[in-house]
Amino acid sequence: MGAMSDRSPSSQSAPEATHRAGFACFVGRPNAGKSTLTNALVGTKVAITSNRPQTTRHTVRGIVHRPDAQLVLVDTPGLHKPRTLLGERLNDVVRTTWAEVDVIGFCLPADQKLGPGDRFIATELAGIKKTPKVAVVTKTDLVDSKQLAEQLIAIDRLGKELGIEWAEIIPVSAVGDRQVGLLADLLVPMLPESPALYPEGDLTDEPEQVMVGELIREAALEGVRDELPHSIAVVVEEMLPREGRPENKPLLDIHANVYIERPSQKGIIIGPKGARLKEVGVKSRKHIEALLGTPVFLDLHVKVAKDWQRDPKQLRKLGF
């Protein structure tokens, strides 16, 4: 920092304001509003949102750029009682991530009473001593002030009971964009002093291929979640600029495979006369083009990977 001992009163407005940068992650049971909150903070669709648990499989990071700070959001998969090998592996990833970040935001929906799932996560959080924890009450647009007050008291009580000292308890509504900026203001002081960790233009350091896969997966799950809760994995085999296109009219060829566990699921994904798969292509292509800012030709194939959720070799191949 150099010799700064000659602090005169005029140096208070010194341009050298502290810049902070670090990592935060949001935790909470499925549907607690984690991904929606990430998107609201970052200002663009990064993590996939879905009304089905366990769809965020990868550590998708969103980056909040501010003049005084850079907040990197690490989106861990939901912690849950593992039933499969995949479940156990996800849980290990979660615990490691929690211990490494600078601040944890525990998301609790305002419209649902605290339940065993919240307690399960809170108990795990209590075991991670050093990391500051902020309780984020989400979906406040769905409740009145009395219900909100009751939830705030319940969260305070849960903390006392488990020995968690909340650094803050803050109500937000990502949908109504209420207090989202304030949440960022509260998280920033908990980050270490540091120059920016990522260049200004970055919104996520997740390889584009993985994000494209997530968008296809989200579109593929839409409308068939009951039949195929999460036995879908998407692998983007290649993304190549189409040869011989004029510079002002680029086209990106994306070849992706949608993996399902059983042949019987193929018809569900493809739909009558391929209508369903076509719809998946159209929907995901829109999101992919918005994400990459370039026209895309999407080539989708459905393949069967037997019981991939339980098979370590398949899991590795599918990127877990």
Side-chain angles (χ1 to χ4, degrees):
M1 290 295 281
M4 289 293 284
S5 51
D6 54 339
R7 289 243 155 153
S8 59
S10 68
S11 71
Q12 279 184 342
S13 60
E16 282 302 297
T18 316
H19 187 280
R20 296 181 178 272
F23 296 87
C25 77
F26 293 128
V27 305
R29 59 188 155 120
N31 300 336
K34 303 181 290 285
S35 297
T36 313
L37 190 58
T38 300
N39 295 340
L41 278 163
V42 177
T44 170
K45 187 166 173 156
V46 181
I48 67 166
T49 55
S50 137
N51 57 4
R52 190 60 167 209
Q54 258 52 62
T55 45
T56 316
R57 280 274 168 80
H58 297 274
T59 309
V60 179
R61 298 172 174 82
I63 303 170
V64 183
H65 296 278
R66 297 164 55 125
D68 60 332
Q70 191 177 63
L71 176 65
V72 184
L73 303 172
V74 189
D75 196 16
T76 57
L79 186 84
H80 54 101
K81 299 195 166 85
R83 283 189 300 272
T84 60
L85 178 66
L86 175 62
E88 275 169 49
R89 201 169 289 182
L90 288 176
N91 281 357
D92 292 343
V93 170
V94 174
R95 289 197 189 88
T96 321
T97 307
W98 289 4
E100 287 168 356
V101 296
D102 300 299
V103 55
I104 298 171
F106 183 20
C107 295
L108 299 136
D111 64 329
Q112 295 163 35
K113 281 203 161 31
L114 300 188
D118 299 314
R119 188 171 286 269
F120 175 67
I121 294 171
T123 309
E124 291 282 334
L125 281 178
I128 293 166
K129 293 286 179 232
K130 287 198 181 76
T131 318
K133 298 158 202 74
V134 173
V136 185
V137 186
T138 57
K139 310 188 185 184
T140 56
D141 50 298
L142 302 178
V143 298
D144 58 21
S145 53
K146 180 174 174 284
Q147 214 179 332
L148 180 57
E150 284 167 5
Q151 188 71 317
L152 295 174
I153 293 165
I155 291 167
D156 185 52
R157 208 175 283 146
L158 179 69
K160 289 198 172 77
E161 188 191 319
L162 296 173
I164 299 172
E165 193 161 325
W166 303 118
E168 302 276 354
I169 299 180
I170 174 170
V172 299
S173 163
V175 176
D177 200 21
R178 282 205 288 274
Q179 307 238 77
V180 172
L182 177 63
L183 174 62
D185 294 342
L186 292 176
L187 295 174
V188 163
M190 299 179 195
L191 306 177
E193 291 187 20
S194 155
L197 304 165
Y198 294 87
E200 177 70 61
D202 287 6
L203 289 172
T204 168
D205 77 342
E206 191 64 47
E208 285 179 340
Q209 240 156 297
V210 174
M211 290 187 67
V212 165
E214 289 282 288
L215 290 170
I216 295 170
R217 188 178 136 79
E218 182 180 45
L221 276 172
E222 213 138 286
V224 298
R225 286 201 170 87
D226 299 338
E227 297 151 279
L228 309 175
H230 29 69
S231 44
I232 294 182
V234 174
V235 177
V236 176
E237 298 291 340
E238 55 179 18
M239 290 172 44
L240 297 166
R242 176 83 56 97
E243 302 257 321
R245 296 279 294 198
E247 242 172 72
N248 59 347
K249 284 201 174 161
L251 181 67
L252 188 66
D253 283 319
I254 298 181
H255 300 279
N257 290 327
V258 178
Y259 286 97
I260 47 179
E261 290 188 296
R262 294 187 293 282
S264 60
Q265 298 169 334
K266 217 167 174 171
I268 301 172
I269 287 284
I270 293 170
K273 296 192 175 155
R276 178 93 190 70
L277 189 64
K278 193 173 170 189
E279 198 183 311
V280 171
V282 170
K283 204 170 262 175
S284 54
R285 197 183 75 231
K286 270 207 210 89
H287 285 309
I288 294 165
E289 290 183 338
L291 172 77
L292 302 177
T294 174
V296 160
F297 172 79
L298 185 58
D299 176 40
L300 283 185
H301 292 275
V302 180
K303 301 198 164 183
V304 179
K306 258 185 125 88
D307 291 328
W308 62 264
Q309 293 200 18
R310 286 178 170 46
D311 175 354
K313 210 159 77 217
Q314 297 271 17
L315 280 173
R316 269 199 301 280
K317 186 181 142 198
L318 298 173
F320 298 115

